[in-house]
Amino acid sequence: MGAQLNAYLMSEDARNQANFYVESLGGEIQSLRTFSEAPGTPEAMKDKVMHLALTVAGSNMLMISDSFVPVSGSRSISLALTYDNESEAREAYTKLSEGGEAKYPFALQPWGAYYGEVVDKFGVTWMITKP
């Protein structure tokens, strides 16, 4: 029996966050459902995203939902992207850094791979690698 593990992000602005990832990493929104589809949803919440699925950087699935409570970033989880091409990795690092914070510069490391770490403007930590 197998299983598939996907990252599911809670967001204060799921639509903009998803669009930022599509622009930064390439990809497309596969599906979007709002809370208007759930019975009893208050009028003010009906346009909020209940579930959004998108592919990024090829066929990697990422899911996002609007949160009903404030969202804060955590160092306990990072999203790791590994590229075969250095220029694609560098471009992803640069684009994800826009409006965010470069935590570790993207550069050739002593272990022989390129690596950089960034916290994007939504508080998500990305580790970008090119072996």
Side-chain angles (χ1 to χ4, degrees):
M1 180 175 193
Q4 185 174 349
L5 178 67
N6 291 1
Y8 203 116
L9 305 175
M10 300 310 292
S11 178
E12 292 180 10
D13 191 351
R15 281 183 180 91
N16 279 338
Q17 191 167 354
N19 287 331
F20 176 73
Y21 295 149
V22 167
E23 291 170 17
S24 297
L25 303 171
E28 85 181 281
I29 293 173
Q30 301 295 321
S31 66
L32 189 156
R33 296 195 167 275
T34 65
F35 283 101
S36 66
E37 298 177 44
T41 299
E43 195 61 38
M45 297 303 295
K46 288 193 176 204
D47 285 338
K48 293 287 189 180
V49 173
M50 181 169 59
H51 177 76
L52 187 154
L54 68 152
T55 52
V56 294
S59 60
N60 299 289
M61 182 64 69
L62 187 59
M63 292 177 267
I64 306 176
S65 177
D66 279 318
S67 176
F68 287 97
V69 297
V71 175
S72 62
S74 169
R75 284 294 295 136
S76 65
I77 295 177
S78 298
L79 300 182
L81 269 178
T82 303
Y83 285 87
D84 293 331
N85 179 293
E86 179 194 341
S87 64
E88 288 178 7
R90 192 174 298 281
E91 181 180 1
Y93 177 88
T94 300
K95 287 182 175 181
L96 288 170
S97 299
E98 291 173 12
E101 182 183 357
K103 298 298 273 181
Y104 197 87
F106 186 80
L108 185 59
Q109 302 303 315
W111 61 86
Y114 284 86
Y115 174 83
E117 189 173 309
V118 61
V119 178
D120 71 27
K121 64 184 176 181
F122 297 98
V124 176
T125 301
W126 295 83
M127 298 176 351
I128 309 294
T129 307
K130 190 283 177 191

